[in-house]
Amino acid sequence: MTLDLAGQAILFGTAVVANFFSALSGGGVGLIQFPILIFLGLSFGTALATHKVASVFLGVGAILRHMKESHLERRACLIILAAGIPGVILGASLILKAPEKEALMTLGILTISLGLYSIFKPKLGIDYTPKNWTGSGLWQGMAGLFVVGFLNGSITSGSGLFLTIWLIRHFGMDYKRAIAYTLVLCGFAWNGTGALVLGLAGDIAWDWLPALIVGSVIGGYLGSHIAIRQGNTLVKRAFEATTILIGLKLLFI
């Protein structure tokens, strides 16, 4: 399906807005972007594959900004990638066969719970207190990363939020640091893997991608810039608002 100039403008604007808020809060680009793809005429499978490809460039925009002052550690990156990517592959392989409505309702409840949990834990993610990077805590953390990777491969909205909260809750990161890992590793590497698997299994609307890609890079860069410049409190509030909105959207889609 080919879009006219007005449709391409809608795609670009949607991508900028969706990726800006996703980069600021640590996830949720699918809250806005994925439904628009379906609204404009793509089937579920094609919209999902196209969205995953475009989401990779949220990671590109974030990398361009975080390279200047990132605190990403090589060992932590390798652990997140090694534990999460097998889950992404499994989730992306199964999603097109899953009962969509039941899965989305369950996910909606879980996503709202993330936001409420953060709200009722005022100090969560405010300070950087690293933990569980060795021994049994590390293995438990990697199991959690595999589950989050599975969610990333199989859902369209909010999987990055699960990675953000897991890095904070289990590994003791603050919000700004956790979101940096989420945007770079989940946004680029995990989404890239999911896009490859889904692309092999279904169709991608290639002529829709240029507007989505440019908008994703711009939105991801700008959102990352604001997240870096502002304190953890603002980023925490953005995370909480995004999780609750995504959860409600999944419940009442």
Side-chain angles (χ1 to χ4, degrees), residues 1-65:
M1 177 181 176
T2 302
L3 282 181
D4 58 15
L5 186 60
Q8 294 288 344
I10 292 173
L11 285 182
F12 173 76
T14 297
V16 171
V17 173
N19 286 276
F20 173 83
F21 284 108
S22 181
L24 180 60
S25 62
V29 63
L31 173 68
I32 302 172
Q33 186 167 283
F34 181 72
I36 289 294
L37 297 181
I38 293 179
F39 175 77
L40 290 174
L42 294 185
S43 66
F44 177 84
T46 302
L48 180 59
T50 304
H51 166 67
K52 279 294 184 184
V53 173
S55 296
V56 174
F57 291 87
L58 164 62
V60 172
I63 288 171
L64 292 174
R65 184 61 186 87

Side-chain angles (χ1 to χ4, degrees), residues 25 27-32 104 107-108 111-112 156-159 161-162 240-252:
S25 62
V29 63
L31 173 68
I32 302 172
L104 291 178
L107 182 64
T111 306
I112 291 173
T156 59
S157 298
S159 59
L161 300 168
F162 284 86
E240 292 161 355
T242 302
T243 51
I244 292 173
L245 287 173
I246 288 177
L248 291 173
K249 177 239 177 187
L250 293 170
L251 286 176
F252 299 106

Side-chain angles (χ1 to χ4, degrees), residues 81-163:
L81 291 175
I85 285 180
V88 173
I89 294 172
L90 180 61
S93 301
L94 297 178
I95 182 56
L96 297 179
K97 304 174 184 177
E100 181 186 353
K101 184 176 180 181
E102 290 80 1
L104 291 178
M105 289 187 67
T106 301
L107 182 64
I109 294 171
L110 290 174
T111 306
I112 291 173
S113 299
L114 291 183
L116 294 177
Y117 178 77
S118 181
I119 289 171
F120 287 107
K121 293 280 187 178
K123 296 187 180 297
L124 182 74
I126 299 300
D127 298 314
Y128 178 51
T129 55
K131 59 183 179 180
N132 291 325
W133 287 105
T134 59
S136 61
L138 175 59
W139 289 107
Q140 293 169 10
M142 293 180 70
L145 290 169
F146 176 85
V147 173
V148 176
F150 177 85
L151 292 175
N152 175 263
S154 60
I155 64 174
T156 59
S157 298
S159 59
L161 300 168
F162 284 86
L163 178 57

